[in-house]
Structure formats: C-alpha cells, structure tokens
Amino acid sequence: MNRTTLSLIGAATALAAISGVAALTGGSSDDAGSAGKAATRLPVQRSTLLCPTPSTSDVSSTTYTAYTPKRDGVDAKDGTAELLPAQNAADDVTDPGGDGKGDKNDKSGKDGGKGGDKPVLPLKEPGKPVTTDVSSAGAPALIGTADGRFAPGWTVQQTTTIDAGSGRGILGTACTAPDTDFWFPGVSTDRGRQDFVHLTNPDDAAAEVDLKLYGPSGRLKSATDESITVPPRSTLPVLLSTLTDQRAESASLRVTARSGRIGAEVQAVDQKAGSDWLPPSAVPSSSVAIPGIPKDATSARLVVFAPGSDDADLKVRLAGPNNSITPAGHESLHVKSGMTAAIDLGDVTKGEPGSLLLTPEGGEGPATPVVAALQVTRGKGGDQETAFIPATAAIERSATAADNRTKGSTLSLVAPRAAAKVRITASAGAGGGSPVSKTYEVKGGTTKALEPPRPASGKGPYAVTVERLSGGPVHASRMLELTQDGVPMFTIQSLPDDRGTVVVPEAGQNMSLLNDD
C-alpha cells in the first residue's frame, strides 16, 4: 500500500471521527466559523492547598480554619474538601549538603514523619467554616484537596501561638497553592534570625528544587549543592543559614522547582522580635502594593529585589486614610539588578493605618519589575512582635481570610489609583450564626482600615470575603492580633484574588482544519 493511499485513508478516518464528534455534541457544518465564540467564566473544579509544619515548640498550639464561600453557578451537591498529613522528610534529610542521617536536635518529626490518612477539616457545606485546635509540637504539614462545590475560593488559615521562647508570638499563614517559582524578599541569614523555608510536595513523584539567595551585593556564595529533592507527598524544612557562609540582615530567596511543583513558605524567627510566616511576594511587577501597615507600628523595614537585568528606580509613597504622601527622607529607592535593597522607614504611619505603594520613577524606557516585602514591628524593648507583608496582587473578583475572631481582626483595603467599591461578607461562625454583608467605598490613593462585619449571632471563628464590585484595583490584607502578657502579638495575611473562577473558551467544530494546503 503506497503512501498516498495511506494519507487518503487517514484523512477519511479523521473526517469520520470529527463528524462523529460534531453529531454527538450537536455541532453541524454551520458551526465552521464559530470557534471564536465568547469565552465563559466558570467556577474551578479542583483546588490544592499546602499547609507547612506549624511549630516544633512544646509551648505552642495551632488553630486551623477552613472555609469555602457560597458561589452562584456551582453544583450544590457534589464535592469534598479535606487535608491529609504529609510525611516529614526532615527525618532523612536536613540540608542540601547533609549526610542523610538527619538532625538529632530536629523536633519537627515528633510524629515519626509517617503522616497518616485521617482527614483534617473536612467541610460539610459551603458558607460555613470548620475549625480545630491541635498541639503544634509534632503536628505535621498538611496536603489538601477540594473539588466540586468546595473548590472555588477554598481557603485554610493556620494560626499558631507560641507562649514563650525566642519565637514567641502569633504565626499566621493562609495555606498556599503549589507552584514552580517563588520569591521571598525579606529573609535573613543574620545571626539574630533563624529562617526556615518549608518545601511541601503534594504529588506522587519527587520534586527537584533550587534555592538561591541574594544579598545587598548580589548572589550569596553557596556553601552546598543547591539542588534539593523533596520526596513525594512530603515536606522538608531547610535552614537558610546552612545554604551559605555569608551573613545578610536582609536578603531575597528564590525557590524554583526544576521538576514537579511545590508549596513554599518561610518561617522567620527573630531572637528579639518574635516570629511569623513570610509568604511569597506577588510575581515581579513594575508597580507594587504592600497593604495594611498597622497604625501603631513602631518600625517598618522595606526589602526590594530587582530580578531582571536592569536596575529599578522606584517612587515610594504611603497611602493613608485621606491621601498619599511621600515618607520623609525616602522619596525614592534605587535597586540594582540582582541585588537586595533595604531601607528602615521607622514609625512611618505616625499613628494612622497605611499601605506602601512602589511605582516607577519617571523616565524613558520600560519600567523594571521588582518583588518586595515589609517587615513590621509593634511594641518596644522586650515586648516587641513582628510580622511580614509581601507585595500583594490585586483582587480581581474576590478573596477570603479565614479565622477571624470577635476581637482583634482588622481588614485593610488600598486603592492605588482609581476609587473602588467593595462588598465585605462575614460568614456564619464555626459554631453557628448568619452571614452579614456591608458595602464600602475606597478612595483612590488611600487605605481604608476597618473592623470587618461579624456574623449575626455567630459563635467561633468566621471567614471574611472581600468582593470588588467596581472601580480600580484593590489590594487587601487582614491583621489578627492577640495581646498576651503585654506583648502585642499579631500576624498579617495578604489577600490576593482567590482565583475561584476560570475563563473557559467556547469551542466549535471547524472542518477547514482538514483542508490540504
């Protein structure tokens, strides 16, 4: 049989197959020009979240709160949402150049690193959060999946309280989705800090991960092999100071998965100012918003990194309750390519809540993208506590913060350019109650800090969802504070868009694909 005959048979087979699909799906030859129909925005069908190992302290406890908002257009019956323990790879590997024998002083594997199959925080219905408290010592990292009606907007908050020791304070984080590339400006290899990057692999194949540190003079010299293997369904904490012999008060960490995908978060422990989680910065951008500096912040340290090949010249502004101003003495910031720049802003808010806005300085040529984060301190002397706010992407449609309390929750909204209108909804509490919604206006170039609405007759932790209704971009964060023994313990979680919906193009049959050119 010659090649021409084979081609004809193949073309006939393809034609029959496509015609059959058209018949089964209701298509016809009249649909030939319909492939470009308008796309439809639909709820996502599956979400994955990763929660890091909360703490190894014997005097710590952790509250987990999970929540999925109610959404229109979602099947009201099908779906599940739950988390399962991950194995702790620290029992076998402690650092990228280690001998594989583990660290006898590492307590993060008190659970034996064996994980388990008992689901944590299974949701029963959208619109009502579930919560649980655990002793943090020995508590594993968690790998979670939500599908069906629980997938769109699913969020899990992990809030840990450490009562004593160098890491005492509140450590809060929203469990993150897996990805392949993360930036963490604001890490440190200084002797006064212990920063661990927690790498969690949700998949059934090992992930290969690279860790690179950049200080004020560029790349920090590596002391070990940079490639790290994270076993399947496992988590691995890596102490950043073991990656280099150089000490840097402020540095930037890049986490890149060569193969597979991972979740990554940094646990920063300051010997004097407590501890908290440092989430990844938003993707590099020429304009950056860092929302939600508390009004009583006693100091703020801005850390910026320019990952591209060009230097970045940035204008620094503080968006307060009424307008945007330039912090005295910090009108602009020059960031050299491949280097980390840091400036101390002091008590920049002067008793009023605010947000930092970084925009390109005037000039010709394209603006240089940067990543950024802010370390915020409240209190003085021995009663200090610290938290981190990374550069945060705008809310396109909605974002949710779980684990809000009756007292101590503050929501911050900043509209860098045009004014915006938002709707804020408090869910039912974990112990009951009814949701409550309120609408707010945020003026352009200002920050609105408010106590979020509470559920009617609600009991227990509840979730707060922010929906952008109209106007310009809005960036948001939520501060949770809990004063204990005179220490203003607090944590801040940024609220990027929850990506609960996805654009699905409408496809049609196009028989012209079979034309022989």
Side-chain angles (χ1 to χ4, degrees):
M1 188 177 293
N2 60 34
R3 183 170 299 177
T4 302
T5 304
L6 288 173
S7 299
L8 290 172
I9 293 174
T13 303
L15 179 61
I18 293 175
S19 299
V21 171
L24 289 172
T25 57
S28 69
S29 58
D30 294 333
D31 294 326
S34 64
K37 289 183 179 179
T40 303
R41 182 168 289 275
L42 298 174
V44 298
Q45 293 297 306
R46 187 178 178 87
S47 297
T48 300
L49 292 177
L50 308 173
C51 308
T53 304
S55 174
T56 60
S57 172
D58 292 328
V59 289
S60 64
S61 61
T62 296
T63 297
Y64 292 97
T65 305
Y67 176 74
T68 293
K70 287 185 176 180
R71 294 285 173 96
D72 294 334
V74 178
D75 191 310
K77 296 181 180 180
D78 297 332
T80 59
E82 60 188 25
L83 299 106
L84 294 171
Q87 289 189 333
N88 195 331
D91 288 345
D92 302 313
V93 180
T94 57
D95 62 72
D99 58 10
K101 296 180 180 179
D103 184 351
K104 65 181 180 180
N105 295 317
D106 188 293
K107 299 180 181 179
S108 58
K110 282 189 174 182
D111 62 341
K114 300 182 185 304
D117 56 5
K118 184 178 180 181
V120 179
L121 294 178
L123 288 180
K124 295 182 179 179
E125 58 180 300
K128 182 177 180 180
V130 294
T131 186
T132 187
D133 297 320
V134 300
S135 172
S136 298
L142 299 174
I143 299 173
T145 302
D147 57 22
R149 61 178 176 153
F150 294 109
W154 182 48
T155 185
V156 179
Q157 168 79 14
Q158 174 181 300
T159 307
T160 301
T161 302
I162 301 178
D163 296 330
S166 60
R168 61 100 180 92
I170 297 179
L171 296 82
T173 184
C175 302
T176 58
D179 208 334
T180 58
D181 196 20
F182 303 86
W183 281 103
F184 295 92
V187 301
S188 177
T189 60
D190 200 31
R191 288 178 173 81
R193 281 265 293 270
Q194 277 198 323
D195 287 13
F196 288 84
V197 58
H198 288 244
L199 308 172
T200 305
N201 177 6
D203 299 321
D204 294 329
E208 294 293 327
V209 182
D210 285 342
L211 303 179
K212 296 180 180 179
L213 286 164
Y214 301 85
S217 299
R219 178 81 180 275
L220 297 183
K221 184 178 180 181
S222 177
T224 64
D225 180 9
E226 296 164 359
S227 180
I228 297 173
T229 300
V230 185
R233 308 286 297 179
S234 296
T235 191
L236 179 65
V238 179
L239 181 61
L240 296 187
S241 59
T242 65
L243 299 176
T244 179
D245 294 328
Q246 295 179 266
R247 297 290 168 254
E249 181 182 4
S250 295
S252 300
L253 169 69
R254 187 177 191 181
V255 179
T256 307
R258 290 188 192 180
S259 64
R261 56 179 189 156
I262 55 167
E265 292 202 54
V266 171
Q267 188 179 46
V269 179
D270 191 295
Q271 297 291 340
K272 297 181 179 179
S275 59
D276 207 346
W277 290 100
L278 168 59
S281 170
V283 297
S285 175
S286 58
S287 295
V288 164
I290 302 177
I293 309 172
K295 63 181 180 180
D296 59 350
T298 51
S299 69
R301 183 173 178 82
L302 174 64
V303 182
V304 185
F305 180 79
S309 58
D310 298 322
D311 295 355
D313 288 293
L314 302 169
K315 183 187 301 182
V316 181
R317 290 184 299 146
L318 176 71
N322 301 309
N323 52 30
S324 294
I325 62 171
T326 300
H330 299 291
E331 295 81 4
S332 61
L333 177 63
H334 179 73
V335 187
K336 294 183 178 180
S337 170
M339 300 182 187
T340 298
I343 55 174
D344 288 314
L345 300 174
D347 57 340
V348 64
T349 56
K350 305 296 183 183
E352 292 185 331
S355 303
L356 274 188
L357 304 177
L358 307 180
T359 54
E361 284 273 25
E364 297 181 357
T368 301
V370 298
V371 292
L374 193 70
Q375 180 179 357
V376 179
T377 302
R378 299 172 69 220
K380 296 181 179 180
D383 293 334
Q384 294 182 25
E385 164 71 320
T386 194
F388 296 88
I389 315 172
T392 304
I395 299 174
E396 296 179 12
R397 284 170 177 78
S398 66
T400 298
D403 193 12
N404 296 277
R405 315 287 176 91
T406 303
K407 296 181 180 180
S409 293
T410 302
L411 188 65
S412 294
L413 310 167
V414 59
R417 297 190 290 274
K421 180 182 290 187
V422 300
R423 178 169 56 227
I424 301 175
T425 301
S427 73
S434 303
V436 172
S437 295
K438 293 184 179 180
T439 301
Y440 298 87
E441 295 251 1
V442 186
K443 296 180 181 178
T446 71
T447 295
K448 179 179 284 293
L450 54 94
E451 184 177 304
R454 302 172 187 169
S457 304
K459 296 180 180 180
Y462 63 98
V464 170
T465 298
V466 180
E467 298 172 89
R468 188 181 73 86
L469 301 178
S470 62
V474 176
H475 305 253
S477 69
R478 189 281 315 270
M479 180 175 75
L480 180 63
E481 58 180 319
L482 177 64
T483 300
Q484 183 172 314
D485 298 329
V487 179
M489 295 183 179
F490 74 115
T491 182
I492 299 174
Q493 280 70 59
S494 55
L495 300 179
D497 192 86
D498 61 20
R499 300 187 179 184
T501 59
V502 63
V503 174
V504 179
E506 184 174 343
Q509 289 72 43
N510 189 344
M511 307 301 283
S512 65
L513 292 174
L514 297 176
N515 288 346
D516 186 5
D517 296 330

